[in-house]
Amino acid sequence: MSVELVFQAQAAFQEQLLAKPNVVGVAVGRKNLVGELSVVTLVQQKKPIAALSAEEMVPKQLDGVRTDVVEVGYLRAYATPRDRYRPTIPCGVSIGHYKITAGTLGAIVTDRNTGEKLILSNNHVLANSNDALVGDPILQPGPTDGGQNPGDIVARLERFVRLRYEGDPPSPEPPAPPPPSPPPGGGCDVVSVVVGLTNGLATLLGSSQRVTTAAPSTTVAPQAQPTDNDVDAALAKPVDPNMFTGEILAIGAVSGTKPPQLGAEVRKSGRTTGYTEGVITLINATVSVAYGNRTARFVGQIISSPMSQGGDSGSLIVDKAENRAVGLLFAGSNLATIFTPMDKVLEALQVNI
């Protein structure tokens, strides 16, 4: 069976599956990891059939496509409370916004417009889960690992993709068209997200922090506020770019990107668990991730075997065979690691690696 047909079945039944209790996500994978392609329902805890009601049961097939159920545990964004690196700082080490605990410095990337070197990690690592201002201090190591403000400031927040949480109030009504002589000042902070639920190639358009929109037509109804997320990602501008080597601890230099593929062997180096390896088990996943007492739903994500713990957020996921960047780790549990395809992250932030 083609992967396109499986994606179609996923899109058709995803909301129905996500509405079931205990379900935290839906993805595409191979049944029992090695069988035929299936629509996979992700649950916090797998229960015996006898303990499930009819409403809780996952059908054995969806439009002729086989299904599977995989236990992934309680998915949460990784940010927990190691060494202070000077005079040079590699990737894969502790870093964080001055008001968080600690996460991981993922990579050094290059701005597509200015050519500047920037630090890549997660929104919840560098931008305090939206609760930060551009220019805020970024510490190495992160605060929980002993980083001090201002003594350990190595960068300042440059921009980030805003996280959208379930239950957030709707966006305010758009302003009326401007008068002939526009007032001084300008712009409004917005993030535009376009999500394709039927495949794993959804693309985030526009600037990750500030984009410009035309005044709405008086004859067109305003669009509803999207609630799904494509990425948990942010950038920081180094105080001194020469302090950062760009190489990842225990992995070395990364060259280019590679699309994630089922069964591919990957590796990472992170602040908490150091160097670990895993295997991609699921693609095109829609998952609900806890951010403290809030929840954010992500689409088009990749799931691997467990290879991370809290504090590894922001780690670069690297293909084991070719040392190419596959994705950006941002969440997981003791049963699974969640990351975003690398090309999606780079497009969202308008940077290259």
Side-chain angles (χ1 to χ4, degrees):
M1 180 173 292
S2 72
V3 68
E4 289 80 11
L5 289 176
V6 183
F7 283 157
Q8 291 174 13
Q10 177 192 16
F13 293 94
Q14 178 166 273
E15 297 303 325
Q16 176 183 327
L17 295 171
L18 288 169
K20 295 179 180 292
N22 194 37
V23 173
V24 296
V26 182
V28 171
R30 297 195 178 277
K31 191 170 181 66
N32 299 322
L33 300 183
V34 295
E36 62 184 294
L37 284 172
S38 308
V39 174
V40 181
T41 301
L42 311 176
V43 297
Q44 284 194 32
Q45 184 179 17
K46 203 166 183 178
K47 301 178 181 179
I49 294 178
L52 299 174
S53 66
E55 292 74 19
E56 293 174 315
M57 292 285 291
V58 174
K60 292 184 178 180
Q61 290 190 353
L62 299 170
D63 283 350
V65 176
R66 294 288 296 274
T67 65
D68 197 7
V69 177
V70 173
E71 181 180 357
V72 294
Y74 179 71
L75 301 177
R76 65 194 187 280
Y78 280 151
T80 338
R82 268 173 209 239
D83 295 338
R84 181 181 188 271
Y85 285 82
R86 300 292 188 278
T88 57
I89 305 172
C91 300
V93 300
S94 174
I95 201 168
H97 184 274
Y98 76 107
K99 288 186 177 181
I100 72 153
T101 52
T104 298
L105 194 168
I108 301 300
V109 294
T110 304
D111 189 287
R112 293 180 182 178
N113 296 316
T114 68
E116 290 182 305
K117 289 184 177 181
L118 300 170
I119 293 168
L120 171 67
S121 190
N122 298 142
N123 173 318
H124 75 270
V125 172
L126 297 181
N128 193 20
S129 301
N130 295 345
D131 295 333
L133 298 174
V134 170
D136 275 358
I138 305 300
L139 311 181
Q140 198 294 309
T144 295
D145 295 331
Q148 299 293 313
N149 183 20
D152 290 313
I153 296 176
V154 297
R156 293 191 177 274
L157 180 61
E158 177 73 6
R159 60 183 184 266
F160 59 94
V161 178
R162 181 167 292 276
L163 293 169
R164 302 184 187 278
Y165 300 104
E166 294 179 4
D168 276 354
S171 294
E173 290 296 321
S181 297
C188 62
D189 291 324
V190 294
V191 177
S192 177
V193 181
V194 177
V195 180
L197 292 178
T198 60
N199 58 58
L201 302 177
T203 303
L204 184 69
L205 301 179
S207 167
S208 62
Q209 180 199 4
R210 181 182 294 271
V211 296
T212 305
T213 56
S217 167
T218 56
T219 62
V220 179
Q223 296 296 309
Q225 178 83 0
T227 56
D228 287 337
N229 294 275
D230 272 6
V231 301
D232 178 343
L235 299 169
K237 186 175 181 178
V239 173
D240 178 4
N242 295 321
M243 292 177 65
F244 298 86
T245 69
E247 295 192 354
I248 304 174
L249 279 181
I251 292 179
V254 173
S255 175
T257 66
K258 185 175 182 178
Q261 297 179 342
L262 283 172
E265 295 181 326
V266 292
R267 54 186 181 159
K268 75 100 185 69
S269 186
R271 171 247 170 237
T272 304
T273 59
Y275 178 88
T276 57
E277 298 180 356
V279 176
I280 295 176
T281 58
L282 299 167
I283 60 175
N284 199 43
T286 298
V287 293
S288 295
V289 176
Y291 285 76
N293 59 0
R294 297 178 291 183
T295 300
R297 191 166 92 163
F298 289 81
V299 296
Q301 305 304 303
I302 309 300
I303 300 179
S304 75
S305 53
M307 56 184 294
S308 57
Q309 294 179 13
D312 287 329
S313 277
S315 300
L316 207 66
I317 300 292
V318 180
D319 175 73
K320 186 177 178 181
E322 301 177 16
N323 232 34
R324 296 183 181 272
V326 177
L328 186 68
L329 189 160
F330 74 100
S333 68
N334 61 339
L335 299 174
T337 287
I338 317 294
F339 63 92
T340 305
M342 197 68 218
D343 287 336
K344 180 182 290 191
V345 174
L346 298 179
E347 185 65 23
L349 294 170
Q350 289 294 289
V351 293
N352 296 321
I353 190 170

